[in-house]
Amino acid sequence: MDFDLRPIRLDDAEGVAYVHHTSWVETYAGLLPAAHWETDTLDARVSRWHGLLATSNPTLVAVVDDRIVGFVTALPSWRQHDIDDARHLQLGALYVLADQHGTGIGQALLDAAIPLGTPAQLYVAKGNDRAMRFYTRNGFAPDGVEVRDDRFDLVELRMVR
């Protein structure tokens, strides 16, 4: 599969919002209450991404045939849930459309944002077994920290390497 990775651009809000929203639906439909989708809409994601792109943004996008199919963001770690960070670098987001799973795009995005062996941390929803297997293959392991994200009524596990 041919794909390109590039920094996100100001005109990418709709494309990256589509990937973000669609990936959430594909991944979390069974983990989130049905009422969640009443406010978490594609339009809301587009609006959020327009705001995010108005500031400096370290996001990389994966593009296939001029269509954004995935993205990744890695940032300096931030204090979450009143828990000190375990590493100084954090994977903030990594999403790839389900029809692109298994193509190497997710791996390329992760490697570009956090090269293999680089100490980092991330939070993953408990029950997102596919993501946990992916991160485990890339050297991440749960460190025992579990937090409840009340915004989404999800338990998140912290993974570190």
Side-chain angles (χ1 to χ4, degrees), residues 6-7 13 30 35 37 54 77 82 84 105 110 125 133 139 153:
R6 63 165 172 74
W37 306 107
S77 297
D82 291 326
D84 290 332
I105 290 172
L110 180 62
R133 286 190 303 272
D153 194 29

Side-chain angles (χ1 to χ4, degrees), residues 108-124:
L109 285 165
L110 180 62
D111 291 345
I114 304 176
L116 186 62
T118 302
Q121 68 181 33
L122 59 90
Y123 284 86
V124 62

